[in-house]
Amino acid sequence: MTSIATEAPVDVNGVAVPNRPGGRVLAVLRDAGASVPTLCYDDRLEPQGTCRMCLVEVEMNGRTETVASCTAFSEPGMKVRTHTKEIVEYRKTLLELLLSEVRDPAKDSKRAALGDYEFQAAVREYGAEADAFRPLERRQKVDDPNPFIARDYDMCIACFRCTNICNDWEQASAITVAGRGQDSNIFTKFSNLLMESPCTFCGQCVNTCPTGALTNRKLANAITPVSMDWEGEVEEAESNTLPAPSGDAVQLGPETAVERTKTICPYCGVGCGINLITQDGELVGSEPDFSAPSQGSLCVKGQFGSWDFINSDERLTTPIIKNAQGEFEPASWDEALTLVTDKFKHYRDTNGPDSTVFWSSARTTSESNYLAQKFARVALETNNIDNCSRT
Amino acid sequence: MVGKGAMSNSIEEIAGADMILVIGSNTTEAHPVISLRMKKAVRNGAKLVVIDPRKIELTKWANRHVQLKIGTDIPVLNAMAHVIIKEGLYDAEYVENRTEGFEALRRHVEIYTPEFAEELSGVPAEDIAATAREYAAASPKASICYTLGITEHSCGTHNVQAVGNLALLCGNFGRENAGVNPLRGQNNVQGVSDMGALPTDLPGYQKIEKSEVREKFERAWGTPLPRRRGITKITALDQMVRGEVKAVYIMGENTVVSDPCSGHSRKALEAAEFVVVQDIFMNDTARLADVVLPAAAFAEVDGTFANSERRVQRVRKAVDPPGEARADWRILLDMFEYMGVPQDLESPSDVWDEVAALAPILSGISYDRLDKEGGIQWPCPTPDHPGTVFLHEDEMDSGMPGQFAPVDHIPPVEEPDDEYPLFLTTGRRRSTYHTGTQTGRAIGFDELVPHELAELNPLDADVLGIEDGEVVRVSSRRGSLDVHAKVTDRSPKGAIFMAFAHPDTAPTNILTNDAYDFITETPEFKACAVKVERLGAGDAAEAVAD
Ligand code: SF4
Ligand code: SF4
Ligand code: FES
């Protein structure tokens, strides 16, 4: 730690930041607020250094070289330039080459609703043209009818973040790469169906995919596509289906049509961070919150199951009171609150406070639990308050 | 023995441990994201030993699977302590400075030789000894993780103490990447206890029976408080049957399905004179109620949850509740008003401020800080305190030396016999959750586990003539149900496994026993005796028709 204070800082585009001993150039340039596209990189894994998008120019001891910032180590006194003319041109060309491998991402209105994937964002930032190179034959879509993950490999740029996260982070070994270069394909052993593979449906592959080749099928089915222009104005598209790929299709805009609310997964005690996604006031899905201590990890419940029960039409929507015949009848809040409190007052005052009990819940918020125990102690005058945490 | 019920260390620290001992936790299924930290540690060269009667998925990453007989954790843990003491592998300085009762423990575990433990548990003596040596060698960077497999036994408290003994011996409390880590089952189990929704504790684990504590709260709340501790849920159920408890308010838990021996819960609630249920769905418990109040779900409320590692995190409202449904906190504030004790609180953040003012372990946490910094781990006594990554650093959280607890083996209350020859042990599956009210409604999840499964060892299946996938009848002394058999060596010979997420078709908890841990009253979900039978032709047709 002391070395940080004494070491020479790193200069990133003229901004001085402390060196990170043993750290990568990428981390340091991010410290300085700079950003470069990192299409084959996932913070949680060892860097691969294959996409070359993160190249930067570094100057050290009078020598200048171009390095991949995700793999190169930072050193005190290093000068880093992230956007030299050559490098910017180089990135644009790389992106145009990648665009020749995939369907034009600008034509996908569902993606537009959710906002850019990393790849699309880079394409826009560098002004890469979709038709700069002759289109190559696309990778195959996979007809995999599982309910959670759509595998649309004609958007795949072969960055292998999905297979790496599956094998090295989730360690499920569900998907692997076969072949090389443009012939590489991602598949599961035997049937090539995720349901018949060791896949846990953790969704990590979907979350790390920078292009939308892998998508959350439930989310995609729930959102309404929008069309956007470069000015970022949002209009509702006519239908709920993807527009036919035609030359004049919608373009991506910098705004999204959905709102994200940072919250916590409602299932287990790990408490992974999630963003709930809403569109026009309706809950349409969720995604991991990468800024939470869970680092974007979720399990199948947090990833694919955290919201439909909210929208269920079996939800209770009004207080109900059992009548003399033992049937439930809807009631107003005032009727229900009056009946409940009259009854509890009655038992408290005639049978004694300990003839009443309150059980609160590990499912609801701490604030509600605080009020529950205070209610028992102050209003019911009993310590007969318990919860289901034993089960 | 050292402090409050919570993970001593943080989830992230597991990844940095040199050894992880996982006891009675089917982590990949019940806490998948924590299992990622374990898998990462193994990648980095850590040792992983899984102590579990079932060949759970995590054993794939383990150096050793200690496959003990159901309910024999204490002999194995005591024998580990025996080896560690006998071979002088414990941290003598730590034991001297930070613990109490070592001599008593030493004498107590004298008879628990690995050979004796082998007789009881079926685990080879050398495996027990090797695990003990590895644990001692990796200390103080050895982490123990456990869940319900340890606590859901009639001797659950003793199991936890036996685990604690090992950590105390080897100096693993108060050290990074170490500790004893109970992984909590539900999203806010930690928060519920933190808030004092307990018969014995006010918010922040302050004991109601201590007069200075009570006086503080009486001053703050402006009213006298009942002095005697309250009754637990289990006692309350009994008192309902006896007519002593008349009225019960149940906030969001499907008691009838989730409690063991659910027939008993039902009978108790039927005996109560007035039952209120506040929940998001109609369910078996709500059907017994006199009044059902529609609550808002997590996506519809503001507030906080506290996770397993004591981290208070913000929950935020994304959508409005349906119809007339209201947030639990709102309903409770209305209740106060109708009871004639209105509260001067308007929002969850007001409520939090009151909590922070009264519970010293939470005093430094505010919504403002949670918004800026993200989740904060208690204890966090002041606004400039960063929160506590691991407990017991300079002294035990209890303020006293760590107490060794000599504990003995207590077999499960109900063991297999001629009539009910198999153990039933229950647990969770990754894609289903608790009683299934949420995952049961999640689109696509029925394809993952379409129905309940009774997992059965191939040897037992052979003897019974049962084929994989066939519908079988499982019966205990308390009830009987039909369920699909899954023949798999995940289940040890002599035991079947079921979850309880399909209550409509396979209400597992009609089978389980109503035995409880005699200290915490945690139900013995992990062991009861059952028999498994093939269905006759008539039964089978009926079962298929269901
Ligand atoms: S969902 Fe998870 S387990 Fe399945 S393929 Fe993707 S990363 Fe692998
Ligand atoms: S995503 Fe999975 S592991 Fe994380 S809190 Fe939710 S249920 Fe638990
Ligand atoms: S991100 Fe560095 S090479 Fe791909």
Side-chain angles (χ1 to χ4, degrees):
Chain A
M1 286 290 117
T2 46
S3 57
I4 290 178
T6 53
E7 265 176 7
V10 178
D11 169 326
V12 180
N13 303 334
V15 178
V17 282
N19 181 43
R20 284 176 176 250
R24 313 275 180 174
V25 173
L26 180 61
V28 175
L29 72 83
R30 284 180 176 170
D31 287 346
S35 110
V36 295
T38 49
L39 292 182
C40 69
Y41 178 79
D42 185 306
D43 257 332
R44 299 166 290 180
L45 301 172
E46 281 296 300
Q48 313 180 70
T50 49
C51 78
R52 316 308 287 169
M53 287 300 298
C54 69
L55 287 200
V56 294
E57 193 183 281
V58 297
E59 197 187 314
M60 199 49 212
N61 306 327
R63 260 203 3 246
T64 303
E65 45 176 352
T66 309
V67 299
S69 60
C70 66
T71 52
F73 290 98
S74 85
E75 284 171 53
M78 193 179 241
K79 258 191 168 157
V80 184
R81 296 291 170 267
T82 60
H83 285 70
T84 67
K85 198 157 161 283
E86 295 72 36
I87 289 179
V88 168
E89 266 313 304
Y90 178 71
R91 287 195 192 125
K92 180 170 177 220
T93 308
L94 279 181
L95 286 166
E96 287 173 341
L97 283 167
L98 289 173
L99 279 169
S100 74
E101 294 181 25
V102 300
R103 204 172 63 225
D104 186 353
K107 292 177 182 161
D108 190 332
S109 59
K110 286 210 175 181
R111 297 201 173 108
L114 280 171
D116 284 347
Y117 286 85
E118 278 173 65
F119 177 54
Q120 285 85 325
V123 164
R124 186 201 324 283
E125 186 184 342
Y126 288 85
E129 306 281 345
D131 51 6
F133 294 94
R134 192 171 50 83
L136 296 176
E137 202 180 313
R138 306 275 153 74
R139 292 183 179 82
Q140 290 289 303
K141 259 193 171 70
V142 175
D143 193 12
D144 182 343
N146 78 75
F148 304 122
I149 299 175
R151 300 162 68 198
D152 180 6
Y153 292 126
D154 66 357
M155 286 306 296
C156 173
I157 57 167
C159 67
F160 305 135
R161 280 162 65 168
C162 59
T163 51
N164 291 337
I165 205 90
C166 185
N167 292 292
D168 297 343
W169 181 259
E170 178 70 10
Q171 299 191 30
S173 308
I175 46 177
T176 44
V177 188
R180 308 194 51 156
Q182 185 52 32
D183 291 326
S184 56
N185 268 307
I186 291 157
F187 77 114
T188 78
K189 278 177 218 116
F190 312 117
S191 66
N192 204 13
L193 294 177
L194 287 174
M195 275 290 188
E196 293 170 12
S197 79
C199 176
T200 62
F201 293 97
C202 69
Q204 297 306 312
C205 52
V206 172
N207 305 327
T208 196
C209 176
T211 67
L214 299 173
T215 46
N216 180 331
R217 184 167 262 153
K218 290 181 68 173
L219 180 57
N221 287 340
I223 58 173
T224 309
V226 293
S227 63
M228 298 177 161
D229 61 29
W230 287 101
E231 272 69 58
E233 269 176 46
V234 179
E235 319 156 16
E236 199 109 342
E238 285 127 44
S239 80
N240 205 15
T241 50
L242 294 177
S246 72
D248 55 3
V250 288
Q251 290 185 309
L252 288 170
E255 300 282 318
T256 64
V258 300
E259 274 186 65
R260 291 173 159 87
T261 307
K262 200 173 143 79
T263 188
I264 300 298
C265 172
Y267 288 106
C268 83
V270 182
C272 301
I274 58 172
N275 291 327
L276 287 173
I277 301 177
T278 47
Q279 189 176 30
D280 301 326
E282 293 284 328
L283 204 48
V284 290
S286 70
E287 64 184 9
D289 168 10
F290 279 86
S291 68
S294 44
Q295 300 172 61
S297 295
L298 295 175
C299 75
V300 62
K301 296 186 291 290
Q303 182 71 245
F304 296 109
S306 55
W307 73 95
D308 341 77
F309 73 94
I310 306 271
N311 292 340
S312 162
D313 50 20
E314 293 168 38
R315 285 283 302 276
L316 292 167
T317 54
T318 167
I320 43 183
I321 295 177
K322 207 174 255 172
N323 65 20
Q325 289 74 50
E327 291 152 359
F328 280 125
E329 277 176 7
S332 72
W333 271 106
D334 181 54
E335 285 166 323
L337 290 165
T338 306
L339 175 61
V340 171
T341 47
D342 282 353
K343 285 282 187 182
F344 272 88
K345 277 185 215 154
H346 165 79
Y347 289 110
R348 180 193 65 192
D349 298 342
T350 48
N351 301 80
D354 290 345
S355 68
T356 66
V357 300
F358 199 117
W359 296 334
S360 92
S361 165
R363 311 298 298 286
T364 190
T365 60
S366 294
E367 290 72 4
S368 298
N369 276 293
Y370 173 84
L371 289 175
Q373 60 84 34
K374 187 174 182 185
F375 182 80
R377 293 179 163 125
V378 170
L380 305 180
E381 298 168 25
T382 177
N383 285 315
N384 290 351
I385 165 85
D386 200 4
N387 67 80
C388 61
S389 77
R390 297 189 169 85
T391 61
Chain B
M1 69 191 359
V2 291
K4 309 170 183 81
M7 280 177 77
S8 65
N9 291 56
S10 299
I11 293 167
E12 190 53 38
E13 286 174 64
I14 295 170
D18 286 346
M19 184 196 189
I20 305 164
L21 196 60
V22 176
I23 311 178
S25 158
N26 189 0
T27 324
T28 59
E29 299 285 323
H31 299 92
V33 169
I34 290 184
S35 76
L36 299 185
R37 327 299 325 126
M38 297 175 179
K39 295 174 190 174
K40 185 172 172 188
V42 171
R43 278 254 157 136
N44 294 342
K47 283 213 156 59
L48 173 68
V49 174
V50 172
I51 303 184
D52 202 294
R54 299 173 61 223
K55 196 166 144 201
I56 54 174
E57 195 188 4
L58 195 63
T59 57
K60 284 197 225 152
W61 283 265
N63 303 69
R64 182 178 306 111
H65 176 202
V66 174
Q67 193 165 17
L68 76 191
K69 288 193 192 133
I70 288 174
T72 61
D73 304 82
I74 288 179
V76 171
L77 296 166
N78 278 358
M80 283 178 64
H82 173 100
V83 172
I84 289 169
I85 294 174
K86 184 129 261 170
E87 300 185 5
L89 305 175
Y90 59 95
D91 182 338
E93 200 185 309
Y94 186 92
V95 167
E96 170 69 28
N97 294 336
R98 301 204 48 184
T99 70
E100 234 169 52
F102 174 73
E103 244 333 276
L105 179 78
R106 192 187 59 75
R107 279 198 306 271
H108 184 81
V109 298
E110 193 98 56
I111 57 157
Y112 283 93
T113 60
E115 291 69 26
F116 177 48
E118 174 171 347
E119 266 169 50
L120 293 170
S121 67
V123 180
E126 57 271 29
D127 281 5
I128 298 176
T131 306
R133 290 184 196 119
E134 284 162 6
Y135 179 75
S139 300
K141 256 178 176 297
S143 168
I144 302 182
C145 299
Y146 70 84
T147 16
L148 304 174
I150 276 284
T151 50
E152 281 181 358
H153 278 288
S154 52
C155 56
T157 307
H158 283 178
N159 283 343
V160 171
Q161 289 170 332
V163 166
N165 288 340
L166 292 177
L168 282 176
L169 277 175
C170 296
N172 280 311
F173 280 116
R175 304 280 173 76
E176 202 181 351
N177 308 117
V180 170
N181 299 298
L183 314 177
R184 312 305 298 258
Q186 292 175 304
N187 51 334
N188 201 25
V189 172
Q190 192 66 56
V192 169
S193 324
D194 296 353
M195 290 303 114
L198 295 167
T200 46
D201 291 23
L202 284 155
Y205 303 94
Q206 303 176 82
K207 302 288 168 206
I208 185 89
E209 286 175 344
K210 282 199 181 152
S211 54
E212 70 276 14
V213 167
R214 219 171 36 241
E215 279 157 22
K216 169 172 122 179
F217 279 86
E218 286 174 341
R219 265 196 310 280
W221 290 347
T223 178
L225 291 177
R227 292 157 172 258
R228 245 181 338 120
R229 64 174 61 192
I231 53 175
T232 61
K233 198 172 142 187
I234 304 305
T235 309
L237 286 170
D238 289 342
Q239 293 196 4
M240 271 174 223
V241 175
R242 293 207 301 271
E244 289 156 23
V245 164
K246 307 274 187 200
V248 52
Y249 197 125
I250 306 172
M251 187 163 84
E253 60 180 303
N254 195 355
T255 292
V256 168
V257 176
S258 64
D259 283 356
C261 191
S262 48
H264 178 64
S265 311
R266 175 182 297 275
K267 211 170 86 199
L269 291 176
E270 278 167 358
E273 288 177 16
F274 189 68
V275 179
V276 181
V277 169
Q278 179 168 319
D279 210 327
I280 61 176
F281 289 112
M282 181 49 84
N283 57 41
D284 285 349
T285 312
R287 271 182 272 275
L288 300 175
D290 298 283
V291 178
V292 182
L293 302 174
F298 88 105
E300 297 151 356
V301 300
D302 280 301
T304 60
F305 292 156
N307 77 354
S308 267
E309 54 176 357
R310 302 168 272 104
R311 192 185 297 277
V312 177
Q313 309 194 93
R314 267 290 260 124
V315 174
R316 293 184 181 83
K317 178 176 172 183
V319 286
D320 288 326
E324 301 266 298
R326 289 183 185 172
D328 290 320
W329 64 266
R330 180 72 263 167
I331 300 172
L332 283 161
L333 286 178
D334 293 342
M335 286 287 166
F336 272 109
E337 182 118 20
Y338 276 70
M339 289 296 280
V341 273
Q343 301 292 302
D344 191 17
L345 301 165
E346 290 296 324
S347 67
S349 125
D350 287 353
V351 177
W352 181 267
D353 291 342
E354 186 170 314
V355 174
L358 288 166
I361 57 169
L362 300 166
S363 290
I365 302 178
S366 62
Y367 274 29
D368 232 26
R369 273 190 79 181
L370 293 174
D371 285 343
K372 286 199 199 95
E373 300 167 37
I376 299 173
Q377 291 171 282
W378 63 253
C380 177
T382 56
D384 54 3
H385 189 288
T388 305
V389 177
F390 59 92
L391 300 175
H392 319 298
E393 188 167 10
D394 300 318
E395 61 163 358
M396 296 304 175
D397 191 50
S398 59
M400 295 185 309
Q403 287 293 334
F404 284 109
V407 288
D408 270 318
H409 173 55
I410 309 167
V413 168
E414 189 181 56
E415 290 197 276
D417 53 20
D418 287 347
E419 201 183 342
Y420 296 97
L422 297 169
F423 260 128
L424 164 68
T425 182
T426 68
R428 280 156 222 260
R429 292 196 175 90
R430 175 165 48 226
S431 58
T432 57
Y433 177 76
H434 210 57
T435 61
T437 44
Q438 294 176 6
T439 49
R441 289 181 173 84
I443 295 159
F445 278 61
D446 51 342
E447 293 186 35
L448 294 175
V449 186
H451 37 241
E452 189 55 69
L453 298 168
E455 296 183 6
L456 180 72
N457 185 278
L459 296 171
D460 294 326
D462 235 29
V463 172
L464 296 163
I466 288 167
E467 305 268 337
D468 188 49
E470 134 175 25
V471 176
V472 294
R473 176 154 299 163
V474 181
S475 324
S476 75
R477 289 192 172 77
R478 293 153 296 274
S480 139
L481 52 79
D482 296 344
V483 60
H484 290 259
K486 166 96 193 146
V487 178
T488 165
D489 67 356
R490 266 199 304 273
S491 274
K493 191 177 157 341
I496 68 166
F497 169 84
M498 291 176 66
F500 47 99
H502 295 88
D504 297 339
T505 48
T508 306
N509 286 340
I510 65 173
L511 302 171
T512 46
N513 200 350
D514 62 354
Y516 294 97
D517 176 283
F518 48 89
I519 299 171
T520 62
E521 297 190 349
T522 304
E524 184 152 60
F525 275 134
K526 293 297 170 188
C528 74
V530 295
K531 65 179 171 198
V532 177
E533 297 161 301
R534 301 201 58 187
L535 291 188
D539 295 336
E542 222 177 88
V544 172
D546 285 349

